[in-house]
């Protein structure tokens, strides 16, 4: 391999540039550490102790803003007893090269990084001849090259992209290990990574417990979309708030669920809407439970003057908000509404969803161009059309529907051209557009444009749907309902008397335990 240059990240200004590489034999690499201040200066960590010192410095940067000096030293000594206290006191890592070390999902404080993850990372680096090279992007790096007494090396892109970032402190990332696979979830932007430190072809086709639960709490909605895959109407039923609260509290006591997407019908029409928002806000503030985030979906039509207060409450309580649209102008309308009413949302929290099979190619291109013109900070998800509920009517029969697919195919061609026919999802669309499993099912050609780790094809493997209205637990919210998924008895809910909820909760538990054994 003759690699001439490789860099992750942007050159926003001159700063440090630390990177993780793998070499043929780390013992042949000259270790060069002047002190334990890993800043702008050139350094090479290639021995076990050198790697430990570098990781220890990263740990210090992760926690020293939140805990006293003594606790920082104690934590690092607990993991790396051979490092001297005087060295820990001197440790620093330049802000541009800091790692975000994940916290244990069930960690009680959320302050200290996962010791198991740190040990696994250390073991991996040492076992795979990993070295850490430091320098900066403002000076000639010839000195680093001279120090590298190797004829072959390659950078560890996974490590770089997983844990390198420029955060000062306070991790937003949590981790859990399942069947030998590490799963990292960033609560602030929803980024999720599954990986193994082993190279030997780990197969991970199903998680032990669902990472995402689609929680149906209502089938009420007055928008009357003709294709509504859940067949929602204003007259339909909803689950009482006490059942919702009970389920969430019971479920999350022991289960590492990263996300709960609450919905079904229109959440703004849910009769206990404000109670629900308050519960979610309270729940997120309870220190033992803050690692699960709550998402929901609205329609662009919900952004009316009358709904302003509800919209505030929703954006205040939920971490991620998706908004269904079918035109570029509807995205513009919602963004202008949020600006006009000063509705604040977390960076990375806003996304728009559309169903390409109901749209023309021109409209899809307009949406892409609008996004590319940096109109706002949001993500776009393309959802596959679902032939359930009202989507099961004759106008959407398979033969009729085939015609509707041309628009998205035109859009795919446009995107490919934009990216010079070169891994376009990777380069041009990366982090801006996403697809759901059903769209991949409807357009298998999408797979040719993505890498296998960029999508999952099957529902019910890492996620499931729990319908608290009618008592079903299904692989997805659009799985046709059948008795095999039915919870046999739905108790008559009595406001705030949780014992009546036991049967639905326990049946849910049985289903989940069977399908996700760790439950
Ligand atoms: S698709 Fe969504 S907005 Fe339309 S009727 Fe169904 S729940 Fe309401």
């Amino acid at each position: 391999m003759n690699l001439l240059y490789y860099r992750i990240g942007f050159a926003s200004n001159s700063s440090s540039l630390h990177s993780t590489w793998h070499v043929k034999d780390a013992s042949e690499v000259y270790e060069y550490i002047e002190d334990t201040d890993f800043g702008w200066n050139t350094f090479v960590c290639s021995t076990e102790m050198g790697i430990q010192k570098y990781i220890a410095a990263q740990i210090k940067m992760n926690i020293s803003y939140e805990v006293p000096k003594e606790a920082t030293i104690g934590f690092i000594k607990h993991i790396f007893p051979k490092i001297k206290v005087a060295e820990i006191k001197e440790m620093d890592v330049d802000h541009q090269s800091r790692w975000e070390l994940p916290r244990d999902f069930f960690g009680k404080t959320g302050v200290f990084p996962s010791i198991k993850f740190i040990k696994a990372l250390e073991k991996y680096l040492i076992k795979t001849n990993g070295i850490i090279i430091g320098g900066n992007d403002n000076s000639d790096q010839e000195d680093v090259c001279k120090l590298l007494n190797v004829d072959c090396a390659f950078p560890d892109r996974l490590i770089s992209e997983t844990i390198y970032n420029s955060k000062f402190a306070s991790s937003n990332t949590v981790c859990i290990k399942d069947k030998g696979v590490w799963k990292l979830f960033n609560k602030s932007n929803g980024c999720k990574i599954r990986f193994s430190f082993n190279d030997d072809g780990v197969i991970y086709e199903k998680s032990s417990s669902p990472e995402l639960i689609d929680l149906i709490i209502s089938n009420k909605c007055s928008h009357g979309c003709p294709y509504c895959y859940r067949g929602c109407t204003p007259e339909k039923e909803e689950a009482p708030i006490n059942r919702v609260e009970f389920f969430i509290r019971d479920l999350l006591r022991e289960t590492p669920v990263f996300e709960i997407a609450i919905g079904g019908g229109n959440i703004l029409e849910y009769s206990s809407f404000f109670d629900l928002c308050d519960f979610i806000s309270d729940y997120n503030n309870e220190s033992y439970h803050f690692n699960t985030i709550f998402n929901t979906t609205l329609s662009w039509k919900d952004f009316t003057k009358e709904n302003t207060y509800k919209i505030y409450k929703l954006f205040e309580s939920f971490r991620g908000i998706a908004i269904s649209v079918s035109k570029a102008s509807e995205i513009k309308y919602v963004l202008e509404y949020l600006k006009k009413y000063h509705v604040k949302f977390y960076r990375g929290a806003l996304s728009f969803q559309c169903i390409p099979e109901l749209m023309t190619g021109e409209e899809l291109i307009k949406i892409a161009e609008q996004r590319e013109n940096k109109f706002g900070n949001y993500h776009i998800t393309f959802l596959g059309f679902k032939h359930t509920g009202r989507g099961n009517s004759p106008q959407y029969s398979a033969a009729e529907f085939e015609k509707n697919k041309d628009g998205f195919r035109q859009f795919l061609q446009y995107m490919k051209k934009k990216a010079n026919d070169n891994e376009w999802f990777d380069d041009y669309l990366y982090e801006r557009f996403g697809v759901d499993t059903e769209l991949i099912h409807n357009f298998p050609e999408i797979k040719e444009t993505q890498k296998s780790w960029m999508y999952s094809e099957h529902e019910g493997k890492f996620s499931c749907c729990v319908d608290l209205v009618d008592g079903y637990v299904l692989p997805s919210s659009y799985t046709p309902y059948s008795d095999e998924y039915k919870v046999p008895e739905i108790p008559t809910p009595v406001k705030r008397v949780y014992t009546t909820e036991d049967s639905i909760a326990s049946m849910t538990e049985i289903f989940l335990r069977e399908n996700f054994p760790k439950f």
Side-chain angles (χ1 to χ4, degrees):
M1 186 163 83
N2 185 12
L3 192 64
L4 298 174
Y5 183 69
Y6 186 93
R7 205 204 61 186
I8 300 280
F10 304 104
S12 49
N13 58 12
S14 310
S15 200
S16 67
L17 207 62
H18 302 178
S19 55
T20 313
W21 289 64
H22 295 284
V23 296
K24 272 187 183 167
D25 184 354
S27 67
E28 287 182 8
V29 178
Y30 175 64
E31 181 158 276
Y32 180 73
I33 306 174
E34 280 187 339
D35 51 38
T36 49
D37 177 357
F38 300 100
W40 268 49
N41 297 337
T42 299
F43 67 84
V44 178
C45 304
S46 59
T47 65
E48 188 172 330
M49 182 47 91
I51 298 264
Q52 285 185 0
K53 281 181 185 169
Y54 186 80
I55 297 175
Q58 291 285 3
I59 295 171
K60 185 179 174 188
M61 294 305 105
N62 267 248
I63 60 176
S64 59
Y65 292 86
E66 296 188 65
V67 298
K69 199 168 59 186
E70 294 73 19
T72 304
I73 293 170
F75 184 70
I76 292 172
K77 285 291 279 179
H78 174 65
I79 302 175
F80 300 121
K82 287 185 192 157
I83 299 179
K84 297 189 180 92
V85 171
E87 288 177 312
I88 298 172
K89 282 184 179 166
E90 294 303 312
M91 280 174 176
D92 192 31
V93 178
D94 181 77
H95 70 101
Q96 192 75 15
S97 296
R98 288 179 190 170
W99 288 353
E100 177 165 315
L101 291 166
R103 275 55 176 168
D104 278 318
F105 186 88
F106 286 117
K108 295 285 185 259
T109 64
V111 171
F112 295 99
S114 165
I115 295 177
K116 280 187 191 148
F117 182 85
I118 291 167
K119 295 304 280 178
L121 174 64
E122 181 209 354
K123 196 172 153 198
Y124 162 75
L125 286 173
I126 290 164
K127 197 175 122 193
T128 57
N129 287 300
I131 61 170
I132 318 265
I133 305 171
N136 64 73
D137 61 2
N138 203 34
S139 60
D140 202 321
Q141 293 292 292
E142 262 186 72
D143 46 350
V144 174
C145 300
K146 277 184 201 148
L147 287 168
L148 274 181
N149 177 25
V150 289
D151 59 2
C152 174
F154 62 93
D156 192 319
R157 190 171 174 174
L158 181 64
I159 286 199
S160 305
E161 293 191 347
T162 306
I163 56 177
Y164 266 110
N165 72 18
S166 309
K167 288 226 159 68
F168 285 92
S170 257
S171 177
N172 280 307
T173 304
V174 288
C175 67
I176 191 111
K177 193 179 179 191
D178 180 32
K179 300 177 188 171
V181 169
W182 282 98
K183 303 196 282 191
L184 270 56
F185 177 65
N186 185 313
K187 294 180 288 172
S188 66
N189 61 19
C191 179
K192 188 166 64 180
I193 302 167
R194 302 182 196 122
F195 70 94
S196 165
F197 281 120
N198 294 329
D199 287 334
D200 43 4
V202 175
I203 295 171
Y204 186 61
E205 291 176 331
K206 195 172 192 314
S207 55
S208 299
S209 51
E211 295 166 7
L212 161 71
I213 291 186
D214 230 330
L215 193 65
I216 306 292
I217 64 161
S218 164
N219 288 316
K220 272 188 185 176
C221 181
S222 52
H223 288 313
C225 305
Y227 48 81
C228 180
Y229 79 92
R230 295 201 50 81
C232 296
T233 67
E235 295 75 36
K236 287 220 167 157
E237 295 290 309
E238 58 181 27
I241 181 72
N242 56 330
R243 187 185 292 170
V244 176
E245 184 171 342
F246 176 82
F247 177 81
I248 291 173
R249 284 195 184 279
D250 194 49
L251 173 82
L252 297 184
R253 206 174 295 137
E254 291 182 346
T255 311
V257 180
F258 291 146
E259 297 164 272
I260 296 187
I262 297 188
N266 186 345
I267 199 163
L268 297 187
E269 293 177 35
Y270 183 58
S271 53
S272 305
F273 171 78
F274 291 107
D275 285 342
L276 179 72
C277 290
D278 286 344
F279 160 65
I280 286 172
S281 297
D282 289 351
Y283 198 83
N284 281 334
N285 291 333
E286 288 171 27
S287 58
Y288 292 148
H289 296 295
F290 57 84
N291 285 333
T292 300
I293 62 152
F294 294 88
N295 303 329
T296 194
T297 305
L298 297 179
S299 160
W300 74 276
K301 294 177 200 158
D302 291 317
F303 290 78
T304 62
K305 210 171 169 186
E306 297 68 44
N307 276 341
T308 317
Y309 182 58
K310 282 189 171 177
I311 301 271
Y312 272 115
K313 278 301 271 188
L314 196 90
F315 275 73
E316 206 175 64
S317 323
F318 285 76
R319 189 61 189 76
I321 316 277
I323 300 149
S324 323
V325 294
S326 57
K327 288 191 185 116
S329 58
E330 292 164 3
I331 295 178
K332 202 162 175 245
Y333 166 80
V334 173
L335 293 172
E336 282 170 357
Y337 177 102
L338 297 175
K339 200 168 162 196
K340 180 175 169 191
Y341 291 107
H342 305 285
V343 181
K344 300 272 179 301
F345 54 90
Y346 296 100
R347 188 177 165 78
L350 193 64
S351 71
F352 289 90
Q353 299 182 339
C354 57
I355 305 172
E357 291 139 297
L358 297 176
M359 297 163 69
T360 62
E362 287 74 27
E363 197 59 50
L364 288 162
I365 291 167
K366 229 187 253 179
I367 284 181
E369 282 175 345
Q370 187 169 271
R371 180 66 187 83
E372 286 311 300
N373 289 336
K374 308 286 178 290
F375 186 80
N377 166 30
Y378 56 86
H379 190 83
I380 291 173
T381 309
F382 297 119
L383 306 177
F385 188 89
K386 279 109 192 164
H387 293 272
T388 55
R390 292 200 287 277
N392 195 21
S393 62
Q395 62 172 313
Y396 304 119
S397 69
E400 280 298 308
F401 208 69
E402 203 47 43
K403 295 181 217 154
N404 294 0
K405 294 187 172 176
D406 290 346
F408 190 58
R409 291 198 173 114
Q410 186 189 336
F411 173 72
L412 287 179
Q413 288 308 322
Y414 164 84
M415 283 304 198
K416 277 188 181 178
K417 195 157 169 278
K418 273 283 206 184
N420 296 327
D421 293 329
N422 180 25
E423 296 192 359
W424 55 280
F425 256 98
D426 203 14
D427 296 342
Y428 183 63
L429 295 176
Y430 189 54
E431 283 194 352
R432 294 170 216 170
F433 294 77
V435 295
D436 75 345
T437 50
E438 196 59 11
L439 197 76
I440 289 180
H441 179 247
N442 296 353
F443 294 91
E445 61 262 44
I446 293 174
K447 286 192 274 183
E448 291 160 23
T449 64
Q450 298 186 70
K451 304 208 166 62
S452 63
W453 48 263
M454 295 174 105
Y455 61 89
S456 56
E457 262 185 281
H458 305 290
E459 291 289 340
K461 300 289 182 192
F462 299 96
S463 61
C464 73
C465 168
V466 176
D467 180 343
L468 287 182
V469 182
D470 296 316
Y472 284 85
V473 184
L474 311 115
S476 77
S477 59
Y478 53 91
T479 302
Y481 280 50
S482 73
D483 286 350
E484 74 177 296
Y485 304 120
K486 181 86 177 99
V487 174
E489 185 195 346
I490 306 178
T492 310
V494 177
K495 190 104 175 136
R496 297 287 162 190
V497 180
Y498 291 147
T499 48
T500 58
E501 307 301 330
D502 282 354
S503 66
I504 192 168
S506 58
M507 281 311 298
T508 304
E509 202 177 304
I510 289 165
F511 175 90
L512 293 174
R513 273 193 206 288
E514 279 171 5
N515 290 280
F516 295 96
K518 257 201 185 163
F519 256 81

